[in-house]
Amino acid sequence: MKALSEFKKALIISLWFMLLTFPIMVIRVNTIEKVVEWRWRNMAFIGIGSFLLSFVWRYLLGRKEKGRKLAEAGSVEARPFSRRLLDEPRIYRPALAAVTLFAVAFPFLFSSYQTNIMTTALMYVMLGLGLNIVVGLAGLLDLGYVAFYAVGAYSYALLNHHFGLGFWAILPVGALLGVLFGILLGFPVLRLRGDYLAIVTLGFGEIIRLILENWNEFSFGPSGIANIPRPGLFGIQMSLNEATIYLYFLMIALCLFTIFVVNRLQDSRIGRAWIALREDEVACQAMGIDKTKTKLTAFALGATWAGMVGVIFAAKTTFINPASFTFLESAMILSIVVLGGMGSIIGVILGAFILILTPEYLRAFSNYRMLLFGTTMVLMMVFRPQGIVTNVRRIYKFRARGRDGEPSQA
Amino acid sequence: MDYFLELLLGGLTRGSIYALIALGYTMVYGIIELINFAHGEIYMIGAFTALIVASVLTMNGMTGISVLILASVVAVLYSAAYGFTVEKIAYKPLRQAPRLSPLISAIGMSIFLQNYVLLAQTSDYLPFPNLIPVLPFMEPYSQLMGSTELVIVLTTTVVTVILTLFIKFTKIGKAMRATAQDRSMAMLTGVNVNRVISNTFIIGSALAAIGGVLIASHVGRINFYIGFIAGIKAFTAAVLGGIGSIPGAVLGGLVLGWTESFATGYVSSDYEDVFAFCLLVLILIFRPAGLLGRSTAQKV
């Protein structure tokens, strides 16, 4: 009987979706030639698809519910599987060695096209780690992160155009400008709660983009800036291929630097203040943590990386215009953080590789790229809000059944 | 003076539409404290549905006011259905989750719906037929305000009045207010909170669809991306007036409409959206509760 009612539910759901998607999916009007195209096949796909998916959906929801009950009863292993895997030295040491070897050999094994894609993925790793500070650690939803990225890119392009400054001189300048804009954005939004913050940061991102687009005398408008030089290396002349490989290794080095810094930050005093702020703002203030300073450092330190990656982006593509810095870019970086697991470094790295490389290598899906991002964000929030790799916070708890009552680290 | 009057009326039209969309934001926020990022997309889907229905009808030889009515009714029904479904998929499983989760889920839903329409329909701008007939008595004033604009302002007024009465006097409206005040207490007194939330989404989405049909007739073209900017601006309007408050949403819409209208008219038209965002930032800094909102202290 249960199976029958489940079947009936799925049937109703599939009928509902067929009805719901009917005008958008089935009918397409050509208003110029005045013809209507009926695409009945799509309706069949939707029907079958939603019928099957409704089973999966309810199965997963049920499993999640069961998992929650188990966790409440306290009978579930505190450390998730992925974390146990990463903590096991016999597994992570060879894995680390293999990844290092692969990373070093990559540009020599594959074409410069592949290397380019990899460099892009590494750029997103850095962006993701930067946003992770703001969103994952401090819990401030920043939807205008791309603004800092744009600031970095334009600072290189403009300073180079007007003053002829080189890549290495501007890389720290880009980072500093990122910090400056981070604080600039941070000040007005200090008092805002989560959702207001999201919309103001979104507005901030759009303001920066619109200014870049419209202020022609300053930013050359929508046509952008071309002929930005690639990064140099002690004045050595490099071919295009060599420059690509050089940029790749530069990116690897910068990523390692970012990982190192973010990792250290996480366990520092300020990092723990961020996490406390994320968990409970009122309690955090009651513990004597300066809210203003903590929030501002989160914005500033998050924006640093975006400013740096912006400089690299300008140097890599040698051409920038405001169209590269839309809200979708912010959404993409955010979905990297969400998919990977908010607050988890390994998770963000994995998230960046999955979201950037999958559409590149599965060309058939490249049209569906944004559709998949959106779906990922919803599904991750519904079924696995902690991301692929769960970030395990240091917890100390007393073992209730300990023989001598000694506190043990769990 | 004529120029001033033109800007004033232009701002009124613009503000009315923002108000219609802002009502949906404000109602949803009042009840579940969530910025429904997908609301702008619901409005876009309303406009698309109206366009599709109207085109199919006119190609089959129908004309006149019946096309407008049929297209609007279908658009409203479909938008309401979309709003209902979005809530069931993306927000209902997250009732107990931390605040950030439904917000991210809402952003995901918004991106999904945009790209769903992009892939299923087209990325180009589609011309939207002006379904609203030209009213003969408006002819002498057409320099200042066309019939479309008049219809927009009147519709907004009527809808707002109906909504206010609905929330004040009907049983559903009372249940909505109770849920907004205190969800668990409402549950204890026998209010079906899940149904109330669904109702809120349905009503808000229906209003967004009306806004969608009107603005598409006004502007004359639509594409999959119109919901994004309109959504942010309507949210600005809702915050401006004090989120959660229905007269506030209307007031906020009008203030925003006039700000944009005068700023583009007297300062520069390139920075239209910048003015809206700056207004939002300023309001949030100096009066976070909005013009008509009450500031509530956070309880611990």
Side-chain angles (χ1 to χ4, degrees), chain A residues 38-63:
Chain A
W38 298 87
R39 299 167 294 174
W40 294 108
R41 238 181 25 177
N42 282 347
M43 194 173 195
F45 287 146
I46 292 280
I48 298 165
S50 53
F51 182 76
L52 297 176
L53 282 178
S54 79
F55 282 112
V56 179
W57 179 268
R58 269 173 296 147
Y59 169 72
L60 287 175
L61 264 191
R63 225 183 62 160

mmCIF file of all heavy atoms in Angstrom, chain A residues 38-63:
data_model
loop_
_atom_site.group_PDB
_atom_site.id
_atom_site.type_symbol
_atom_site.label_atom_id
_atom_site.label_comp_id
_atom_site.label_asym_id
_atom_site.label_seq_id
_atom_site.Cartn_x
_atom_site.Cartn_y
_atom_site.Cartn_z
ATOM 1 N N TRP A 38 5.775 24.463 -31.088
ATOM 2 C CA TRP A 38 5.322 23.624 -29.974
ATOM 3 C C TRP A 38 6.339 22.526 -29.756
ATOM 4 O O TRP A 38 6.621 21.768 -30.669
ATOM 5 C CB TRP A 38 3.956 23.007 -30.274
ATOM 6 C CG TRP A 38 2.888 24.035 -30.451
ATOM 7 C CD1 TRP A 38 2.568 24.677 -31.608
ATOM 8 C CD2 TRP A 38 2.016 24.564 -29.442
ATOM 9 N NE1 TRP A 38 1.560 25.579 -31.387
ATOM 10 C CE2 TRP A 38 1.198 25.524 -30.067
ATOM 11 C CE3 TRP A 38 1.859 24.317 -28.073
ATOM 12 C CZ2 TRP A 38 0.226 26.239 -29.377
ATOM 13 C CZ3 TRP A 38 0.887 25.028 -27.396
ATOM 14 C CH2 TRP A 38 0.087 25.985 -28.036
ATOM 15 N N ARG A 39 6.864 22.447 -28.562
ATOM 16 C CA ARG A 39 7.913 21.443 -28.302
ATOM 17 C C ARG A 39 7.396 20.422 -27.299
ATOM 18 O O ARG A 39 7.752 20.439 -26.133
ATOM 19 C CB ARG A 39 9.165 22.139 -27.783
ATOM 20 C CG ARG A 39 9.731 23.118 -28.780
ATOM 21 C CD ARG A 39 10.763 24.003 -28.150
ATOM 22 N NE ARG A 39 10.200 24.881 -27.139
ATOM 23 C CZ ARG A 39 10.938 25.683 -26.366
ATOM 24 N NH1 ARG A 39 12.237 25.679 -26.485
ATOM 25 N NH2 ARG A 39 10.355 26.461 -25.468
ATOM 26 N N TRP A 40 6.553 19.536 -27.784
ATOM 27 C CA TRP A 40 5.911 18.574 -26.880
ATOM 28 C C TRP A 40 6.909 17.617 -26.261
ATOM 29 O O TRP A 40 6.674 17.064 -25.206
ATOM 30 C CB TRP A 40 4.823 17.783 -27.615
ATOM 31 C CG TRP A 40 3.697 18.656 -28.034
ATOM 32 C CD1 TRP A 40 3.390 19.053 -29.304
ATOM 33 C CD2 TRP A 40 2.735 19.293 -27.174
ATOM 34 N NE1 TRP A 40 2.315 19.885 -29.293
ATOM 35 C CE2 TRP A 40 1.885 20.055 -27.996
ATOM 36 C CE3 TRP A 40 2.516 19.296 -25.795
ATOM 37 C CZ2 TRP A 40 0.833 20.804 -27.494
ATOM 38 C CZ3 TRP A 40 1.469 20.044 -25.300
ATOM 39 C CH2 TRP A 40 0.638 20.784 -26.132
ATOM 40 N N ARG A 41 8.023 17.405 -26.969
ATOM 41 C CA ARG A 41 9.020 16.461 -26.441
ATOM 42 C C ARG A 41 9.533 16.900 -25.071
ATOM 43 O O ARG A 41 9.729 16.100 -24.181
ATOM 44 C CB ARG A 41 10.188 16.360 -27.419
ATOM 45 C CG ARG A 41 10.375 14.930 -27.881
ATOM 46 C CD ARG A 41 11.475 14.758 -28.800
ATOM 47 N NE ARG A 41 12.499 15.790 -28.651
ATOM 48 C CZ ARG A 41 13.601 15.770 -29.359
ATOM 49 N NH1 ARG A 41 13.817 14.800 -30.203
ATOM 50 N NH2 ARG A 41 14.505 16.706 -29.225
ATOM 51 N N ASN A 42 9.726 18.224 -24.920
ATOM 52 C CA ASN A 42 10.199 18.746 -23.645
ATOM 53 C C ASN A 42 9.263 18.373 -22.512
ATOM 54 O O ASN A 42 9.695 18.088 -21.401
ATOM 55 C CB ASN A 42 10.290 20.269 -23.711
ATOM 56 C CG ASN A 42 11.522 20.714 -24.457
ATOM 57 O OD1 ASN A 42 12.398 19.895 -24.696
ATOM 58 N ND2 ASN A 42 11.568 21.963 -24.835
ATOM 59 N N MET A 43 7.955 18.390 -22.824
ATOM 60 C CA MET A 43 6.972 18.089 -21.799
ATOM 61 C C MET A 43 7.154 16.650 -21.313
ATOM 62 O O MET A 43 7.103 16.373 -20.112
ATOM 63 C CB MET A 43 5.582 18.282 -22.362
ATOM 64 C CG MET A 43 4.520 18.319 -21.311
ATOM 65 S SD MET A 43 2.976 18.746 -22.097
ATOM 66 C CE MET A 43 2.013 19.172 -20.685
ATOM 67 N N ALA A 44 7.397 15.749 -22.258
ATOM 68 C CA ALA A 44 7.610 14.344 -21.888
ATOM 69 C C ALA A 44 8.851 14.220 -21.008
ATOM 70 O O ALA A 44 8.842 13.524 -19.983
ATOM 71 C CB ALA A 44 7.754 13.503 -23.146
ATOM 72 N N PHE A 45 9.931 14.943 -21.399
ATOM 73 C CA PHE A 45 11.153 14.880 -20.598
ATOM 74 C C PHE A 45 10.882 15.346 -19.175
ATOM 75 O O PHE A 45 11.300 14.724 -18.207
ATOM 76 C CB PHE A 45 12.238 15.778 -21.210
ATOM 77 C CG PHE A 45 12.816 15.223 -22.470
ATOM 78 C CD1 PHE A 45 13.215 16.077 -23.497
ATOM 79 C CD2 PHE A 45 12.980 13.859 -22.624
ATOM 80 C CE1 PHE A 45 13.747 15.554 -24.663
ATOM 81 C CE2 PHE A 45 13.512 13.341 -23.788
ATOM 82 C CZ PHE A 45 13.894 14.196 -24.810
ATOM 83 N N ILE A 46 10.187 16.489 -19.070
ATOM 84 C CA ILE A 46 9.897 17.050 -17.751
ATOM 85 C C ILE A 46 9.086 16.048 -16.936
ATOM 86 O O ILE A 46 9.365 15.797 -15.759
ATOM 87 C CB ILE A 46 9.109 18.368 -17.885
ATOM 88 C CG1 ILE A 46 9.964 19.449 -18.495
ATOM 89 C CG2 ILE A 46 8.547 18.810 -16.530
ATOM 90 C CD1 ILE A 46 10.899 20.124 -17.562
ATOM 91 N N GLY A 47 8.080 15.456 -17.577
ATOM 92 C CA GLY A 47 7.213 14.510 -16.872
ATOM 93 C C GLY A 47 7.999 13.346 -16.310
ATOM 94 O O GLY A 47 7.950 13.056 -15.107
ATOM 95 N N ILE A 48 8.781 12.691 -17.181
ATOM 96 C CA ILE A 48 9.538 11.517 -16.741
ATOM 97 C C ILE A 48 10.589 11.927 -15.717
ATOM 98 O O ILE A 48 10.755 11.299 -14.666
ATOM 99 C CB ILE A 48 10.205 10.817 -17.949
ATOM 100 C CG1 ILE A 48 9.127 10.322 -18.904
ATOM 101 C CG2 ILE A 48 11.089 9.671 -17.497
ATOM 102 C CD1 ILE A 48 9.638 9.946 -20.263
ATOM 103 N N GLY A 49 11.276 13.049 -16.024
ATOM 104 C CA GLY A 49 12.338 13.511 -15.137
ATOM 105 C C GLY A 49 11.830 13.809 -13.746
ATOM 106 O O GLY A 49 12.377 13.332 -12.748
ATOM 107 N N SER A 50 10.734 14.569 -13.657
ATOM 108 C CA SER A 50 10.268 14.941 -12.324
ATOM 109 C C SER A 50 9.680 13.743 -11.597
ATOM 110 O O SER A 50 9.752 13.639 -10.378
ATOM 111 C CB SER A 50 9.261 16.083 -12.399
ATOM 112 O OG SER A 50 8.233 15.757 -13.282
ATOM 113 N N PHE A 51 9.114 12.781 -12.370
ATOM 114 C CA PHE A 51 8.592 11.559 -11.746
ATOM 115 C C PHE A 51 9.716 10.813 -11.024
ATOM 116 O O PHE A 51 9.598 10.453 -9.856
ATOM 117 C CB PHE A 51 7.978 10.673 -12.827
ATOM 118 C CG PHE A 51 7.360 9.410 -12.307
ATOM 119 C CD1 PHE A 51 6.127 9.453 -11.678
ATOM 120 C CD2 PHE A 51 8.018 8.193 -12.445
ATOM 121 C CE1 PHE A 51 5.553 8.286 -11.191
ATOM 122 C CE2 PHE A 51 7.451 7.040 -11.950
ATOM 123 C CZ PHE A 51 6.216 7.089 -11.326
ATOM 124 N N LEU A 52 10.837 10.629 -11.742
ATOM 125 C CA LEU A 52 11.954 9.900 -11.133
ATOM 126 C C LEU A 52 12.611 10.715 -10.023
ATOM 127 O O LEU A 52 12.919 10.192 -8.951
ATOM 128 C CB LEU A 52 12.991 9.555 -12.206
ATOM 129 C CG LEU A 52 12.478 8.612 -13.301
ATOM 130 C CD1 LEU A 52 13.541 8.407 -14.352
ATOM 131 C CD2 LEU A 52 12.071 7.275 -12.691
ATOM 132 N N LEU A 53 12.789 12.008 -10.287
ATOM 133 C CA LEU A 53 13.488 12.835 -9.302
ATOM 134 C C LEU A 53 12.706 12.958 -8.002
ATOM 135 O O LEU A 53 13.302 13.093 -6.935
ATOM 136 C CB LEU A 53 13.764 14.230 -9.873
ATOM 137 C CG LEU A 53 14.935 14.300 -10.839
ATOM 138 C CD1 LEU A 53 15.098 15.703 -11.391
ATOM 139 C CD2 LEU A 53 16.229 13.863 -10.153
ATOM 140 N N SER A 54 11.375 12.895 -8.106
ATOM 141 C CA SER A 54 10.600 13.050 -6.879
ATOM 142 C C SER A 54 10.876 11.903 -5.912
ATOM 143 O O SER A 54 10.877 12.088 -4.702
ATOM 144 C CB SER A 54 9.115 13.139 -7.196
ATOM 145 O OG SER A 54 8.595 11.865 -7.442
ATOM 146 N N PHE A 55 11.151 10.706 -6.460
ATOM 147 C CA PHE A 55 11.531 9.583 -5.587
ATOM 148 C C PHE A 55 12.862 9.865 -4.891
ATOM 149 O O PHE A 55 12.991 9.705 -3.680
ATOM 150 C CB PHE A 55 11.654 8.284 -6.393
ATOM 151 C CG PHE A 55 10.327 7.667 -6.713
ATOM 152 C CD1 PHE A 55 9.870 7.613 -8.008
ATOM 153 C CD2 PHE A 55 9.539 7.128 -5.706
ATOM 154 C CE1 PHE A 55 8.648 7.059 -8.307
ATOM 155 C CE2 PHE A 55 8.319 6.560 -5.989
ATOM 156 C CZ PHE A 55 7.866 6.523 -7.300
ATOM 157 N N VAL A 56 13.838 10.302 -5.716
ATOM 158 C CA VAL A 56 15.168 10.584 -5.174
ATOM 159 C C VAL A 56 15.063 11.658 -4.099
ATOM 160 O O VAL A 56 15.635 11.543 -3.011
ATOM 161 C CB VAL A 56 16.113 11.050 -6.306
ATOM 162 C CG1 VAL A 56 17.484 11.356 -5.757
ATOM 163 C CG2 VAL A 56 16.185 10.012 -7.393
ATOM 164 N N TRP A 57 14.304 12.703 -4.408
ATOM 165 C CA TRP A 57 14.138 13.836 -3.497
ATOM 166 C C TRP A 57 13.607 13.369 -2.163
ATOM 167 O O TRP A 57 14.140 13.689 -1.104
ATOM 168 C CB TRP A 57 13.186 14.838 -4.155
ATOM 169 C CG TRP A 57 12.881 16.049 -3.335
ATOM 170 C CD1 TRP A 57 11.839 16.195 -2.466
ATOM 171 C CD2 TRP A 57 13.597 17.277 -3.299
ATOM 172 N NE1 TRP A 57 11.854 17.435 -1.910
ATOM 173 C CE2 TRP A 57 12.928 18.138 -2.393
ATOM 174 C CE3 TRP A 57 14.737 17.745 -3.950
ATOM 175 C CZ2 TRP A 57 13.357 19.416 -2.121
ATOM 176 C CZ3 TRP A 57 15.161 19.028 -3.674
ATOM 177 C CH2 TRP A 57 14.494 19.854 -2.772
ATOM 178 N N ARG A 58 12.544 12.558 -2.208
ATOM 179 C CA ARG A 58 11.931 12.165 -0.938
ATOM 180 C C ARG A 58 12.810 11.164 -0.188
ATOM 181 O O ARG A 58 12.878 11.182 1.035
ATOM 182 C CB ARG A 58 10.528 11.612 -1.171
ATOM 183 C CG ARG A 58 9.508 12.762 -1.074
ATOM 184 C CD ARG A 58 8.140 12.333 -1.449
ATOM 185 N NE ARG A 58 8.111 11.928 -2.833
ATOM 186 C CZ ARG A 58 7.328 10.966 -3.295
ATOM 187 N NH1 ARG A 58 6.529 10.330 -2.486
ATOM 188 N NH2 ARG A 58 7.333 10.664 -4.566
ATOM 189 N N TYR A 59 13.514 10.338 -0.957
ATOM 190 C CA TYR A 59 14.434 9.399 -0.301
ATOM 191 C C TYR A 59 15.517 10.167 0.450
ATOM 192 O O TYR A 59 15.798 9.900 1.628
ATOM 193 C CB TYR A 59 15.057 8.478 -1.349
ATOM 194 C CG TYR A 59 16.202 7.662 -0.813
ATOM 195 C CD1 TYR A 59 15.967 6.608 0.080
ATOM 196 C CD2 TYR A 59 17.511 7.963 -1.159
ATOM 197 C CE1 TYR A 59 17.013 5.889 0.599
ATOM 198 C CE2 TYR A 59 18.565 7.236 -0.634
ATOM 199 C CZ TYR A 59 18.316 6.212 0.238
ATOM 200 O OH TYR A 59 19.354 5.489 0.765
ATOM 201 N N LEU A 60 16.096 11.180 -0.237
ATOM 202 C CA LEU A 60 17.185 11.944 0.385
ATOM 203 C C LEU A 60 16.690 12.751 1.584
ATOM 204 O O LEU A 60 17.371 12.832 2.605
ATOM 205 C CB LEU A 60 17.817 12.890 -0.636
ATOM 206 C CG LEU A 60 18.687 12.216 -1.699
ATOM 207 C CD1 LEU A 60 19.159 13.224 -2.724
ATOM 208 C CD2 LEU A 60 19.898 11.544 -1.049
ATOM 209 N N LEU A 61 15.501 13.326 1.455
ATOM 210 C CA LEU A 61 14.947 14.083 2.580
ATOM 211 C C LEU A 61 14.748 13.173 3.784
ATOM 212 O O LEU A 61 15.071 13.530 4.914
ATOM 213 C CB LEU A 61 13.609 14.710 2.196
ATOM 214 C CG LEU A 61 13.619 16.159 1.722
ATOM 215 C CD1 LEU A 61 12.198 16.674 1.652
ATOM 216 C CD2 LEU A 61 14.444 17.037 2.631
ATOM 217 N N GLY A 62 14.230 11.976 3.504
ATOM 218 C CA GLY A 62 14.003 11.013 4.582
ATOM 219 C C GLY A 62 15.311 10.635 5.256
ATOM 220 O O GLY A 62 15.397 10.536 6.478
ATOM 221 N N ARG A 63 16.344 10.449 4.416
ATOM 222 C CA ARG A 63 17.634 10.059 4.976
ATOM 223 C C ARG A 63 18.226 11.161 5.832
ATOM 224 O O ARG A 63 18.802 10.921 6.883
ATOM 225 C CB ARG A 63 18.596 9.730 3.828
ATOM 226 C CG ARG A 63 19.361 8.451 4.089
ATOM 227 C CD ARG A 63 20.333 8.176 3.002
ATOM 228 N NE ARG A 63 21.326 9.242 2.921
ATOM 229 C CZ ARG A 63 22.517 9.085 2.333
ATOM 230 N NH1 ARG A 63 22.809 7.927 1.787
ATOM 231 N NH2 ARG A 63 23.372 10.059 2.289
#
